[in-house]
Amino acid sequence: MGEKRKKKKRTWIIIGFLAVSLTLLLSYITFRPAGMSYKRVKAHRGDITTYYSFSGNVASKNRQSVYAEKIMQIADVYAEKGRAVKEGDVLFTTVQGEEIKSKINGEVVLVNAEENKQVTPGTLLAEIVDYNSLEVVFKVDEYDVGALSSGREATVYIHAIKKEFNGYIREISKEGQIANGVTYYTAAIDIEQDGNIRTGMSAEVRLVSDKAEKVVILPMNVIYFDDQNQPYVFINGNGNSVVKQEITTGINDGTYVEIKSGVREGEEVLYKTDLKLEALLFPEGGKNTRFYPGGNKK
């Protein structure tokens, strides 16, 4: 029995020592000078721009599918896959002496007719695509389509060739298509061929959503939230104390956020970088959370 009591006593001594150590550590972290536990950043003036972003693909604006309009017998085939043709060029002639011509400038991508063969009405004879007249077609959901308008400027980035273009929205569909319970509309932007662009390439279309110029800004990682999702920052109080300062935020670009009130230009803000420490000291509202005030579209 004496040995068991000794072991039990040693266990309680160890537990007590750990508890005292933890208390001293938390006290040290909480009450040590601000300069030792926080980093500092000054609020400054800058510009913030947010964007709508949509995904699309490169397509040809001009395409001609050549069909037989009646029963006919092909006499001569001038169309050849890969051949460049101009509007008015003869593609086929019939034994009756008729000429079937191209209606656009482009390249023949399909030939589906043979000499001395008879074809029925509706038969596809050839396909012509104009690869020099290009557009980017992209989908817009019903919640964002109101922000688009014909003639509005946009930026187009084609991933495959790592190239960016400026363009203007040419048209927006008036009828939507439903997918997964959401209605989508299509819009198109004209782009110029640079010799490297191919139809089908994926593209990203960006349009300015909001812009705030010469406003007070702070990095997003210095903003914290309380239980009511009210944003706040830490600032120096009297002496060397640290106090919580509520703020009002505006738009953000994912890196910086507009500060409408609570912090002035040039004022110093304190922040922590140890997320584990934040969780201990501020288990409910102290965690730094990514947020999108002002309807940022990213």
Side-chain angles (χ1 to χ4, degrees):
M1 292 293 294
E3 186 63 27
K4 287 184 179 180
R5 287 179 180 176
K6 287 181 181 180
K7 288 184 178 179
K8 188 175 182 180
K9 184 177 180 180
R10 283 197 299 269
T11 300
W12 279 109
I13 290 174
I14 293 172
I15 293 173
F17 175 77
L18 292 174
V20 171
S21 299
L22 181 59
T23 301
L24 291 174
L25 176 62
L26 290 176
S27 298
Y28 170 73
I29 292 173
T30 304
F31 297 106
R32 65 177 171 170
M36 295 178 63
S37 57
Y38 293 87
K39 290 189 175 182
R40 300 168 183 267
V41 64
K42 285 186 178 180
H44 64 280
R45 290 197 177 272
D47 301 336
I48 295 180
T49 304
T50 63
Y51 297 90
Y52 292 99
S53 181
F54 307 102
S55 296
N57 295 92
V58 177
S60 171
K61 287 196 299 180
N62 298 323
R63 179 184 291 265
Q64 181 189 358
S65 297
V66 183
Y67 292 97
E69 296 180 355
K70 59 184 179 179
I71 295 177
M72 61 178 66
Q73 185 169 346
I74 302 298
D76 297 298
V77 177
Y78 298 103
E80 183 179 344
K81 186 175 180 180
R83 174 189 168 195
V85 295
K86 295 181 179 179
E87 180 181 356
D89 284 354
V90 177
L91 304 174
F92 307 96
T93 60
T94 68
V95 294
Q96 293 84 7
E98 299 170 306
E99 294 181 333
I100 301 172
K101 299 179 180 181
S102 172
K103 295 180 180 180
I104 65 171
N105 299 330
E107 181 181 318
V108 178
V109 297
L110 173 70
V111 177
N112 189 37
E114 297 179 20
E115 294 180 352
N116 302 316
K117 291 290 185 179
Q118 185 171 298
V119 295
T120 58
T123 300
L124 177 64
L125 303 177
E127 192 92 37
I128 302 171
V129 177
D130 183 356
Y131 290 116
N132 291 316
S133 182
L134 300 177
E135 63 182 356
V136 169
V137 179
F138 58 100
K139 293 201 308 185
V140 184
D141 68 45
E142 58 189 304
Y143 302 104
D144 292 332
V145 71
L148 274 62
S149 59
S150 295
R152 183 169 178 180
E153 187 175 9
T155 300
V156 177
Y157 182 77
I158 300 179
H159 303 276
I161 62 174
K162 298 180 173 60
K163 194 164 185 178
E164 188 173 275
F165 304 84
N166 290 326
Y168 297 88
I169 296 176
R170 189 184 75 252
E171 61 182 11
I172 307 164
S173 66
K174 294 182 179 179
E175 293 189 13
Q177 297 180 341
I178 301 175
N180 298 321
V182 178
T183 302
Y184 289 90
Y185 298 83
T186 57
I189 297 175
D190 294 340
I191 60 172
E192 291 186 6
Q193 175 62 274
D194 71 346
N196 298 309
I197 305 175
R198 296 177 179 269
T199 57
M201 285 183 171
S202 61
E204 179 186 4
V205 177
R206 295 205 311 167
L207 293 85
V208 173
S209 171
D210 289 303
K211 185 180 288 188
E213 299 179 329
K214 298 180 180 179
V215 296
V216 177
I217 61 176
L218 279 171
M220 286 186 63
N221 67 312
V222 307
I223 311 297
Y224 299 85
F225 295 87
D226 61 19
D227 294 338
Q228 285 72 47
N229 207 34
Q230 166 65 41
Y232 67 90
V233 294
F234 292 117
I235 60 174
N236 275 123
N238 295 329
N240 202 29
S241 64
V242 176
V243 296
K244 186 171 80 172
Q245 174 64 48
E246 291 188 351
I247 59 174
T248 303
T249 59
I251 64 173
N252 77 84
D253 62 3
T255 303
Y256 288 96
V257 59
E258 176 189 6
I259 307 299
K260 292 187 172 181
S261 66
V263 175
R264 300 183 303 274
E265 179 184 5
E267 190 170 358
E268 202 166 56
V269 170
L270 311 176
Y271 68 99
K272 303 183 192 324
T273 57
D274 188 343
L275 297 180
K276 292 181 180 179
L277 178 59
E278 289 175 20
L280 283 172
L281 299 181
F282 305 96
E284 298 296 330
K287 292 184 179 180
N288 194 6
T289 308
R290 183 178 177 87
F291 70 112
Y292 298 93
N296 185 22
K297 298 283 183 181
K298 288 289 287 182

